[in-house]
Every structure is written in C-alpha cells, then in structure tokens.
Amino acid sequence: LAGCSTQYSALNPNPESPAVIYAIPRAQAWSIAHESLLAAGRRYGAESVHIDEVNARGFRGYQATYRSTFYHFMILRRLYVIPTSGAAADNQPVNGFRFVIMRAYCYPLAAAHVPGGDCDEPLAGALQAALDATGTASPVLRMTSRDHVYDAFADPGFTAPKP
C-alpha cells in the first residue's frame, strides 16, 4: 500500500515460537542480504533492481527499488542487517544477526503480478531460504540488542521515489 510502512522479520515469522538469531559472520550476513534482494527482483518479475546502502538511526542495511514497465509497478523495500545478542533456553549467550524487512512503497497493486499475489513473499521467501541454508538459526528466549520499530517515514534520509 502506498503511504504505508510495515515491518516484517525473518527473525521470527511465527510469534508463537522463540525469536531467532542467525549466528553467522558479518560478511556473510551482508552477502545474504544483498543476494536476497537480487533474488527477490527475479521473483517479482522486475526489469530493474536498484540497491543502495542505508544507515538510519544506527541501523544499517540496503534499500532496493524494483521496477517493471511491463507490469507497471514499483516496489520499494529496505532490508536491515542488525547485530544482535541473546540468550538461548539454557541461558548460553548467542551472537549473530537478525534481519528486518521494511515495506515502504508498492505502486500500484503490484501484488497482482507476483507469484501467489503476495507483494512481500518474494523478498521474505528469498531471505528465509538463504538464512535456512546456513543452518545457523539459534532460537533465543530474549535479545539484548536494541529492539524498536523503525519508522521509515520519520527518517529524513528516506524518500519514496515517484513511479
């Protein structure tokens, strides 16, 4: 929806289950994020994908703009890579990363042109598949990193491009 920002997370797709930290090296976390954004472009059927680095309120990540003149859509997503510490059920410390997807812009109803009609699944699915492939998911009972909702529209560096 245009004018709407919502947070999705590969950290914990099921609120009934424990949160997950991926215990992977920093370079691998960034590589997974970038490759997932590119893979999502193919899943969207986008003719062009533009990726920029972003840094907002201490959170670093990527902003991707997907465009298709054939399907007449533009989709804007941010994917944050967040260093996180937590405690497992046995109280052992777990260090790694969590990933948060921000849906900031979708014009017009691009969901009608993506597999399954879900505007969010291409990126969330690509990211989750890449993270699952690492085999490093660590369920945690609590996280000790900053955990607040990021409002893309309150970020002075964020501008939604015109379709």
Side-chain angles (χ1 to χ4, degrees), residues 113-132:
H113 304 291
V114 296
D118 183 349
C119 206
D120 299 310
E121 193 287 325
L123 179 52
L127 177 61
Q128 192 65 60
L131 291 171
D132 288 347

Side-chain angles (χ1 to χ4, degrees), residues 33-95:
H34 194 269
E35 291 302 316
S36 295
L37 290 166
L38 292 173
R42 293 185 293 276
R43 290 179 174 202
Y44 282 124
E47 296 158 5
S48 70
V49 178
H50 179 82
I51 299 174
D52 290 311
E53 291 185 18
V54 293
N55 186 347
R57 296 187 186 159
F59 293 123
R60 292 186 56 224
Y62 293 113
Q63 178 172 295
T65 304
Y66 304 97
R67 295 181 190 269
S68 172
T69 53
F70 181 76
Y71 290 122
H72 306 287
F73 73 72
M74 183 183 73
I75 300 169
L76 181 64
R77 296 287 183 269
R78 280 191 175 187
L79 174 54
Y80 290 95
V81 179
I82 303 172
T84 305
S85 297
D90 61 1
N91 228 16
Q92 290 296 312
V94 178
N95 295 307

Side-chain angles (χ1 to χ4, degrees), residues 138-163:
S138 301
V140 294
L141 297 180
R142 67 181 184 278
M143 290 184 288
T144 56
S145 65
R146 288 187 295 173
D147 190 29
H148 68 275
V149 175
Y150 171 74
D151 178 4
F153 294 101
D155 174 4
F158 177 81
T159 54
K162 302 286 183 211

